Each structure stands twice: as C-alpha cells, then as structure tokens.
Amino acid sequence: MTPNGYKVTILLEELGLPYRAVPVHIGKGEQFTPDFLRISPNGKIPAIVDTDGPGGAPLALFESGAILIYLADKAGGPLLPADPRRRYDVLQWLMFQMGGIGPMLGQAHHFRRYAPEPIPYAVDRYTREATRLYGVLEERLGETEYLAGDYSIADIAVFPWIRPYRWQGQDLVDYPNIRRWYDAIKARPAVERGLAVLSERLERNKRKPEGEAWNTLFGQGGKRPPADDPQNRSVGASDDA
C-alpha cells in the first residue's frame, strides 16, 4: 500500500462503509491494464467504484482527494462539515496535502530511498522542502488539536505521509506538536484497521524494488500500454507493491 491508498482505507473504516479492497500490484504494472485505466486514466492508485453511486448508478473515481471528498459527503458527518466556513477550513488543509505534502515528501522518499544512484542536489532539495513542510504542520498543530480544528479528512490525508518520516530525513522528536497529533491518530481503532488492509500481502513485498519492478515504477516501464496490449487484467482500489 502507498500513503494515498491508506487515505482511502482509513476513511472507509472511519465511516463504517462496506468495501472490498482489490490489490493492484504496481511493481508488476497492473495499474496500466486497460480495465484499470478505464477507472483511473492516470494509471495511479487508489481508485474506487461505488456500485451505489448518485441515482443508484455505479460511479468510478480516481485521485485520492476526490475520493475522500466523495466518501465523506456520501456518509455525512463531521469529517467534512456542511457548514461552509468549517468545510473550507478542512478543504484548504486537504489541498495542502495534495499540492505539497504528498508530492514533495514523495520526492524526498524517492531520492533518499529509491534513486538508483545518489544525487546530492535532489536529496538536499527535497529534504529541505520536507523540513519546511513539517515546520508548517508543527506551527499549525501548536494552534489547534487537528489541522482544521476537529479531526477530519485533512488529517486522514496527511497522516499516512508522515508515517515514513525517517525516509524523509525527519525525526518526530524535533516536532512535539506533530508527535502529539500523530500518536492520537495512530491510536484510533479505525486507523489501525485501515492500515491493516492487505497487510498479509505487504509482508511478502517489503523488499526495495529493483530491476524490472523498479523500471515499471519509476522508469520507461511506467508507460501506458497500447489499448490492445494482451496483459492480465485487474481492477482494484489499492496496491501491494
């Protein structure tokens, strides 16, 4: 599972909505199969199909932020408030994750852990940006218990990206407000359940990707195949790479 995949499983557990997780092995390129691309045109996980969408018709969605908003609205409740001021407070912190935390910490992950050879400029660039973003979170969480005041989809979106903080060159000892927030979220039963989804598969796939798997994830192997490419077909909402 990736941080973006965990966002969705955690929210589904928090909302108590029934779901079925279908693994998509991104190291094998299953995200580029025609069936999956019909759901997620960008060839990324997570993606969902709600068989009981608006008007009772199925609805396919890709992009984790859109999925979080859709599911929170579908279920109702405090994770995405209806009150406009509170709602947009949540949404601005969700967009902070989508536009900053995810892309920049993802780059820190890549150049610190997955790059085939060290690139000092890239490591320094993205580690510094990770440190800056952690500083933004630290300041905000010194002002309020959760990012938008109350626990919300903004916290659910950010939390999985903070879990591998060491890969980002960070230590939560340096961020007491983040540490307090992180521990509180980690202790939530729904979060524990969301993080356990597909855990048996993950135990078998902890090795750093190399060779063809690395090329599929990060190199030329990551291209979309032709529409008529005879690959094994698989549709799902999460990965087990």
Side-chain angles (χ1 to χ4, degrees):
M1 287 278 275
T2 67
N4 288 333
Y6 282 129
K7 294 181 196 176
V8 177
T9 57
I10 289 171
L11 179 59
L12 286 165
E13 291 292 341
E14 290 281 10
L15 296 174
L17 295 175
Y19 68 96
R20 180 172 65 96
V22 182
V24 175
H25 198 308
I26 61 178
K28 294 180 179 179
E30 292 177 353
Q31 70 274 32
F32 301 121
T33 61
D35 283 353
F36 187 74
L37 288 171
R38 277 192 284 272
I39 297 171
S40 179
N42 196 31
K44 303 287 186 180
I45 66 100
I48 67 168
V49 176
D50 182 0
T51 56
D52 184 25
L59 175 69
L61 280 176
F62 70 106
E63 289 297 327
S64 59
I67 294 169
L68 295 188
I69 293 169
Y70 172 76
L71 292 174
D73 275 341
K74 180 183 177 77
L79 295 180
L80 182 56
D83 174 74
R85 290 186 180 275
R86 295 178 59 213
R87 182 181 182 86
Y88 283 103
D89 203 14
V90 171
L91 289 177
Q92 70 180 348
W93 286 102
L94 174 64
M95 295 305 120
F96 171 72
Q97 186 281 308
M98 300 296 295
I101 290 289
M104 295 297 102
L105 299 192
Q107 293 296 329
H109 287 179
H110 180 80
F111 287 107
R112 294 178 63 91
R113 181 173 173 85
Y114 294 117
E117 58 185 39
I119 305 174
Y121 172 78
V123 170
D124 180 68
R125 164 74 177 90
Y126 291 110
T127 302
R128 286 178 179 272
E129 180 62 5
T131 300
R132 187 189 72 80
L133 291 168
Y134 271 69
V136 174
L137 290 175
E138 177 69 8
E139 182 173 357
R140 175 60 176 171
L141 293 170
E143 300 168 347
T144 185
E145 184 176 6
Y146 294 102
L147 290 172
D150 296 324
Y151 181 63
S152 71
I153 60 171
D155 302 288
I156 292 171
V158 173
F159 170 76
W161 282 99
I162 302 302
R163 293 178 70 227
Y165 56 87
R166 293 185 182 88
W167 291 6
Q168 302 151 13
Q170 308 300 315
D171 190 332
L172 294 191
V173 171
D174 299 327
Y175 306 100
N177 296 323
I178 296 177
R179 174 94 259 181
R180 183 267 308 161
W181 166 90
Y182 178 87
D183 289 343
I185 295 176
K186 184 179 179 181
R188 295 178 67 90
V191 174
E192 293 180 357
R193 294 193 300 271
L195 294 176
V197 173
L198 299 178
S199 59
E200 291 184 0
R201 285 179 174 267
L202 292 169
E203 287 299 316
R204 299 195 299 270
N205 290 279
K206 284 187 173 182
R207 291 185 302 171
K208 180 177 177 179
E210 55 186 22
E212 189 60 31
W214 189 97
N215 195 46
T216 298
L217 287 169
F218 305 122
Q220 293 301 310
K223 296 185 295 185
R224 291 167 57 113
D228 59 352
D229 194 348
Q231 299 185 39
N232 292 330
R233 297 187 173 190
S234 166
V235 178
S238 51
D239 76 313
D240 63 349

